[in-house]
Amino acid sequence: MMNEDKEDSLTDASAGVVAVKVDDLTVAYNYKPVLWDIDLEIPEGVLMAIVGPNGAGKSTLIKSILGILNPIAGSVSIYGKSYEKQRALVAYVPQKGSVDWDFPTTALDVVMMGTYGSLGWIKRPGQKEKKLALEALEKVGMLPFKNRQISQLSGGQQQRIFLARALVQDASIYFMDEPFQGVDATTEIAIINILKELRKANKTVIVVHHDLQTVPEYFDWVTFLNVKKIATGPVKDIFNDDNLTKTYGINYKVSIQE
Amino acid sequence: MDITEYIKLVFTDYTLRTITLGTAILGAVTGMLGSFAVLRKQSLLGDAISHAALPGIAIAFLITGAKDSNVLLLGALVSGLIGTFWIRGIIKKTHLKSDTALGLILSLFFGFGMLLLTFIQKQPNANQAGLDKYLFGQAATLVESDVWLMALVTGICLMVLLLFWKEFKILLFDTDYTKTLGFNTKFIDILITTFIVLAIVLGLQTVGVVLMSAMLLAPAAAARQWTNSLGVMVFLAAIFGAFSGVFGTAISASQNNLSTGPVIVIVAGIFVFISFIFSPSRGLLFKQIRFIKNRRDLQLHKTLSFMYHIAETHENISHPHAIKILNNFQGYTKGTLQKLVRKNYVKLDGSMWSLTEEGFNTASNLYNQQTENNE
């Protein structure tokens, strides 16, 4: 299809396997739908940003795909099979603010939780799981803090701990809910490096993202969402004023962002 | 009876031994499970459950007409569970916040229970007296079979806790994430809640409906102060709970038979008080000491860095200065300078103070963010 070398990741993506497929997904908390009739195909190996205004249903979309929320209608498949069957292929990084960081536990212990899924019921983590957790801590640059109580970590460090916990799962598809929220430059760079490494390993990463300016720099795929799906596709094709205006409802210019 | 007499009696007197053992086991199991309630921010749940158990006791008595404690506790268990699941239902199905749901169920069930109790008291049944002991508890009515039941439940609870430790921990910390890993969070949740209800119901006879939640919360709140590990916290809470039971019983038995339940709760409260003040990392006392020490260090550093900035403008870093220049109207006293002398950062020559080489180097590295971050 395309012959330029630098385009090969995109060609792979558009010609290749569909990692996540969402059909007719509709979610409502009360009467008004939060997500309306979402159809989405995410190709394998892309770094995809989900962008949209507050209340657009970005986190809800991720949570519905992961079965945390029950949609009113619609279905989700991961590599062609139901999510329940493919759970082991999927890892989740929740919003940092969703847990109580004063919980009595250490950084290493939280990262170990990433191994619980493959362990299953009752079985305790052993040396093997500990080794995996330490490796993940190393990757996010948090090894020196492994025995820290988690409340004594900075916001950025806590975010990296959450990232490490997902890395331990060694999944094929990663869902991340605002991993860049309120983190400093050091953490932002650490996360970006991890994202790039994941892409190199042909993993699919879906990120709820707020900073529109960094979308073209960090991601190669983007989905515009505002209750309905506005557009989805390669950043270079669809990340433009038109889609931004449709999504955010104001006359948006990529060139003169707020 | 005084304390020594009491200690002798614990080992010889059957009744006292039963009560002491009973309150100790009760304290241990409620402390253990209370840790989970506290960490789930469901501290009020215990209060709601215990109050919700009251109508169950009354109804069980009305149906059977007998005061068999096991039957009454079964009634309490059923109505406690109904209350709990109503609370969960209200939170899930309506927009009410959990504290509203808890308060609502607590007062409604308790009110209904009180209504039934007054109704029972008006009945011409000689058996009726003494049901109100479930309000504030009466440890003296504990018999051996009650203690065996408590021990059995505690044993089962301990086994389940050890078996599902990993699942409990991850559910407490991050429920949504637990779901994505494929665990049935509803099952784990119901398991924890059921054991909390069981422990509360077991304690009703001893501590009573009104004070029961303190047994759940106080040992856990105290234990949290001493550790940053969930395992140690649960263990400590069990120990604190057990000792509250033992000490409470001892005090109540040796002091003109003060009502046991309230005394146990007060002892547990003392554990909390001591823990809040004296725990090394989270306690108020050491926090204040650290705060004062940090302020002193800051004053020291401030003076040192002031000297450093002056020294930077001089050829010789050890150029001496009079105290009035160093004081710079900031009110840092001679004391600070003398402390710096003791640390070898500053030299005193007559009435002139001068920075040393060591002081200069320390000052130049002071509060360097980069070096602190890379600890």
Side-chain angles (χ1 to χ4, degrees):
Chain A
M1 293 211 274
M2 291 185 203
N3 43 23
E4 288 170 44
D5 272 349
K6 61 175 178 179
E7 298 289 350
D8 64 355
S9 72
L10 278 185
T11 342
D12 282 347
S14 42
V17 194
V18 174
V20 183
K21 190 163 186 292
V22 177
D23 284 310
D24 303 330
L25 190 75
T26 298
V27 183
Y29 290 128
N30 301 308
Y31 307 103
K32 228 177 133 203
V34 185
L35 288 176
W36 181 256
D37 207 16
I38 306 286
D39 290 307
L40 200 60
E41 275 189 14
I42 306 169
E44 184 180 48
V46 298
L47 277 188
M48 185 179 95
I50 302 177
V51 297
N54 291 334
K58 303 182 294 291
S59 300
T60 308
L61 176 61
I62 288 191
K63 285 185 182 171
S64 309
I65 293 174
L66 293 170
I68 297 167
L69 294 172
N70 286 328
I72 288 178
S75 66
V76 173
S77 67
I78 306 287
Y79 286 111
K81 288 186 197 149
S82 77
Y83 168 71
E84 281 71 28
K85 284 187 188 144
Q86 304 279 57
R87 224 185 264 280
L89 299 178
V90 180
Y92 173 48
V93 180
Q95 271 185 31
K96 182 163 60 69
S98 64
V99 301
D100 174 16
W101 288 93
D102 196 35
F103 193 80
T105 191
T106 60
L108 177 64
D109 219 26
V110 172
V111 177
M112 288 253 258
M113 288 178 185
T115 66
Y116 287 10
S118 58
L119 280 169
W121 288 92
I122 294 172
K123 218 176 139 204
R124 298 285 186 100
Q127 282 307 312
K128 189 181 131 219
E129 283 74 21
K130 190 176 171 187
K131 209 178 131 241
L132 288 172
L134 289 172
E135 280 167 18
L137 276 168
E138 171 102 72
K139 269 188 214 159
V140 298
M142 289 293 293
L143 200 54
F145 300 91
K146 63 179 164 132
N147 291 325
R148 273 282 176 94
Q149 211 279 317
I150 53 173
S151 66
Q152 283 154 17
L153 298 169
S154 73
Q157 291 171 333
Q158 291 172 347
Q159 187 65 61
R160 280 187 269 165
I161 292 298
F162 258 16
L163 198 61
R165 185 177 69 172
L167 290 178
V168 165
Q169 290 179 251
D170 194 25
S172 306
I173 305 171
Y174 290 82
F175 288 92
M176 305 185 181
D177 202 343
E178 301 202 26
F180 296 105
Q181 194 188 41
V183 301
D184 58 11
T186 323
T187 300
E188 182 144 348
I189 291 164
I191 297 174
I192 282 301
N193 287 335
I194 296 285
L195 291 185
K196 283 178 180 159
E197 249 176 65
L198 289 172
R199 176 163 51 186
K200 233 183 258 169
N202 203 33
K203 313 272 188 187
T204 311
V205 186
I206 295 120
V207 180
V208 171
H209 197 57
H210 257 304
D211 184 10
L212 292 170
Q213 269 167 329
T214 52
V215 169
E217 190 187 333
Y218 295 167
F219 300 96
D220 52 24
W221 209 266
V222 65
T223 292
F224 291 95
L225 190 74
N226 193 351
V227 184
K228 293 175 185 174
K229 184 190 77 182
I230 311 292
T232 183
V235 170
K236 68 175 175 56
D237 295 343
I238 69 158
F239 194 71
N240 51 37
D241 294 353
D242 186 35
N243 280 327
L244 284 165
T245 307
K246 272 192 216 161
T247 309
Y248 288 86
I250 49 165
N251 201 0
Y252 213 101
K253 295 265 181 274
V254 182
S255 43
I256 44 156
Q257 277 147 3
E258 23 169 7
Chain B
M1 131 175 88
D2 65 12
I3 291 290
T4 47
E5 204 180 327
Y6 164 80
I7 292 169
K8 231 184 282 164
L9 270 179
V10 168
F11 295 102
T12 51
D13 183 77
Y14 169 80
T15 319
L16 203 55
R17 196 172 58 208
T18 309
I19 297 171
T20 306
L21 214 57
T23 51
I25 294 174
L26 179 71
V29 70
T30 51
M32 222 152 59
L33 290 162
S35 306
F36 293 113
V38 167
L39 289 175
R40 302 192 76 183
K41 316 246 180 310
Q42 287 183 332
S43 304
L44 260 178
L45 184 70
D47 213 14
I49 294 171
S50 63
H51 283 75
L54 190 62
I57 294 171
I59 291 171
F61 174 78
L62 282 173
I63 293 172
T64 62
K67 255 189 338 200
D68 175 22
S69 71
N70 288 337
V71 174
L72 296 185
L73 288 185
L74 196 66
L77 182 65
V78 172
S79 108
L81 281 172
I82 292 174
T84 313
F85 288 106
W86 279 12
I87 291 167
R88 289 161 53 102
I90 291 174
I91 295 170
K92 228 176 165 180
K93 298 273 191 280
T94 72
H95 284 282
L96 295 175
K97 294 274 172 288
S98 67
D99 58 341
T100 317
L102 288 165
L104 206 64
I105 293 296
L106 183 153
S107 36
L108 280 180
F109 273 63
F110 187 63
F112 183 53
M114 288 304 288
L115 188 133
L116 288 176
L117 280 192
T118 42
F119 173 73
I120 289 168
Q121 268 165 12
K122 296 229 166 73
Q123 288 207 320
N125 183 340
N127 234 340
Q128 79 211 9
L131 263 193
D132 55 347
K133 81 175 183 207
Y134 284 97
L135 282 179
F136 296 104
Q138 203 172 352
T141 59
L142 280 177
V143 293
E144 204 179 318
S145 66
D146 296 327
V147 177
W148 277 115
L149 185 66
M150 283 182 189
L152 182 72
V153 172
T154 307
I156 296 172
C157 175
L158 202 61
M159 255 166 54
V160 170
L161 215 62
L162 288 173
L163 217 52
F164 294 104
W165 180 255
K166 157 174 130 268
E167 285 78 9
F168 285 159
K169 182 161 75 177
I170 191 170
L171 181 85
L172 289 177
F173 180 60
D174 194 344
T175 310
D176 281 355
Y177 183 73
T178 312
K179 239 185 219 175
T180 69
L181 292 181
F183 290 102
N184 185 342
T185 49
K186 212 171 194 177
F187 171 75
I188 309 172
D189 188 21
I190 289 175
L191 203 62
I192 295 183
T193 312
T194 307
F195 272 103
I196 291 179
V197 175
L198 256 177
I200 287 172
V201 166
L202 278 181
L204 292 181
Q205 190 183 352
T206 317
V207 181
V209 164
V210 178
L211 293 173
M212 194 53 215
S213 73
M215 288 299 289
L216 211 58
L217 305 184
R224 179 67 187 94
Q225 295 294 311
W226 297 97
T227 175
N228 278 325
S229 145
L230 179 63
V232 178
M233 177 179 167
V234 172
F235 178 74
L236 274 182
I239 299 283
F240 288 160
F243 274 105
S244 304
V246 172
F247 291 153
T249 309
I251 293 167
S252 107
S254 53
Q255 305 296 326
N256 282 332
N257 284 322
L258 286 172
S259 185
T260 315
V263 178
I264 292 175
V265 168
I266 285 174
V267 173
I270 291 170
F271 274 115
V272 174
F273 183 73
I274 292 173
S275 304
F276 276 3
I277 293 184
F278 294 105
S279 107
S281 66
R282 296 166 79 98
L284 292 174
L285 180 67
F286 290 99
K287 243 187 207 164
Q288 192 62 31
I289 289 174
R290 270 197 302 275
F291 179 73
I292 293 169
K293 193 182 165 295
N294 280 343
R295 274 196 85 96
R296 286 215 184 112
D297 283 354
L298 271 178
Q299 283 176 355
L300 215 67
H301 292 162
K302 193 85 185 154
T303 306
L304 190 62
S305 101
F306 186 69
M307 289 185 82
Y308 172 75
H309 287 306
I310 297 176
E312 274 182 325
T313 63
H314 288 82
E315 287 276 313
N316 175 17
I317 55 162
S318 295
H319 185 90
H321 297 282
I323 191 159
K324 98 179 157 224
I325 297 168
L326 296 173
N327 208 7
N328 193 31
F329 310 110
Q330 293 182 37
Y332 298 138
T333 50
K334 212 170 170 179
T336 322
L337 279 168
Q338 268 157 355
K339 258 186 222 155
L340 285 168
V341 170
R342 253 176 274 140
K343 289 193 171 203
N344 246 346
Y345 292 165
V346 169
K347 249 190 355 235
L348 174 64
D349 196 8
S351 65
M352 301 296 267
W353 308 79
S354 58
L355 203 57
T356 64
E357 187 88 27
E358 204 183 334
F360 185 81
N361 290 335
T362 312
S364 63
N365 284 324
L366 217 52
Y367 297 107
N368 189 331
Q369 274 291 337
Q370 223 54 42
T371 49
E372 266 189 26
N373 278 346
N374 295 338
E375 54 197 317

